[in-house]
Amino acid sequence: MVELLAPQLDSIFHALGDATRRRMLRELADGERTVGQLAEPFSISLAAASKHIKALEGAGLIQREVRGRTHLCRLDPGPLATAHAWLNFYERFWTSRLDVLDRLLREEDARNAPPPKQGDDQ
């Protein structure tokens, strides 16, 4: 399954690899925005903002709708769910490995602990 999603995941993670695009996505989580509204916090040109938006669109993370001369963008959370599922696999993988390490370290500590002294009340 992961192999089938590789091209989509590549474009998603590429889009998420840029701080400007991540902030744009965060803004879109609060509702649709125009290209100008997305560009405003960064003091970038509309052309530069459009390049970022195209990367987000290419990854399927946003949808753009043209109303007259206004381009409205909105978040499409579906691809984020795909990326989350991929990351979740590795979270479970590493959690299980760390649980095993924790158990082994506790067993080693128990083996290396000094024996209780005679007469100690415990």
Side-chain angles (χ1 to χ4, degrees):
M1 178 178 158
V2 171
E3 290 177 17
L4 297 175
L5 296 175
Q8 182 184 17
L9 287 172
D10 289 348
S11 64
I12 292 168
F13 286 121
H14 170 75
L16 295 174
D18 182 86
T20 300
R21 292 192 285 267
R22 288 192 305 270
R23 188 161 166 205
M24 285 179 168
L25 282 179
R26 178 63 190 95
E27 289 294 316
L28 292 170
D30 292 333
E32 66 184 20
R33 301 281 191 273
T34 65
V35 173
Q37 289 170 322
L38 289 173
E40 187 178 338
F42 305 103
S43 299
I44 59 176
S45 69
L46 292 179
S50 185
K51 286 182 181 182
H52 285 295
I53 290 166
K54 285 180 183 176
L56 294 168
E57 278 182 301
L61 295 167
I62 67 170
Q63 294 181 358
R64 187 184 337 200
E65 179 183 343
V66 180
R67 294 185 196 156
R69 294 178 54 182
T70 304
H71 290 234
L72 288 167
C73 301
R74 80 176 133 275
L75 178 66
D76 183 350
L80 288 174
T82 301
H84 181 265
W86 186 84
L87 289 168
N88 194 38
F89 170 83
Y90 290 98
E91 179 184 13
R92 289 189 312 270
F93 171 82
W94 284 111
T95 298
S96 70
R97 296 298 192 269
L98 291 171
D99 288 346
V100 170
L101 177 60
D102 181 59
R103 182 180 50 80
L104 291 172
L105 291 172
R106 289 177 190 274
E107 289 172 3
E108 184 178 333
D109 284 347
R111 281 192 308 270
N112 293 333
K117 295 181 183 175
Q118 294 278 337
D120 280 352
D121 292 333
Q122 287 190 4

